Amino acid sequence: MAAWCVAPVRGRVVRTYAVLEGTITTANAAVAVAINGGADIGTGALSLAPGAAGTGAADAPSNSAGNAQVNEGDFLSFTPSGATGANIPATFHAVIREQ
């Protein structure tokens, strides 16, 4: 299940974060981060390794094709996949550098 947030300013996503609120045990959780339903801006690089609550991960999208640019009001989605425990919650964040 995806989590969502809205970009409060026009700018560029410079870093994304994820923190587990439960335990995953056997496989990494790959988190796709998309803007307005587009392609994954981090190409799967936001990945949570198996661990207990409080385990975190970070990624810095490359923006090589301008794919990490956002406008005020754009929505960002964080869609995890691949880990055990499909009902394990997590908290997601995006750092947007205003332009």
Side-chain angles (χ1 to χ4, degrees), residues 52-87:
T55 300
D59 178 41
S62 71
N63 196 41
S64 60
N67 61 341
Q69 298 294 128
V70 294
N71 289 307
E72 181 178 343
D74 282 353
F75 65 90
L76 286 83
S77 61
F78 298 82
T79 307
S81 64
T84 55
N87 294 318

Side-chain angles (χ1 to χ4, degrees), residues 12-18 33 41 46 57-62 68 76 78 92-97:
R12 182 172 66 87
V13 178
V14 295
R15 187 159 300 278
T16 55
Y17 294 95
V33 181
I41 64 171
L46 183 57
D59 178 41
S62 71
L76 286 83
F78 298 82
F92 302 99
H93 302 277
V95 176
I96 299 171
R97 181 162 295 135

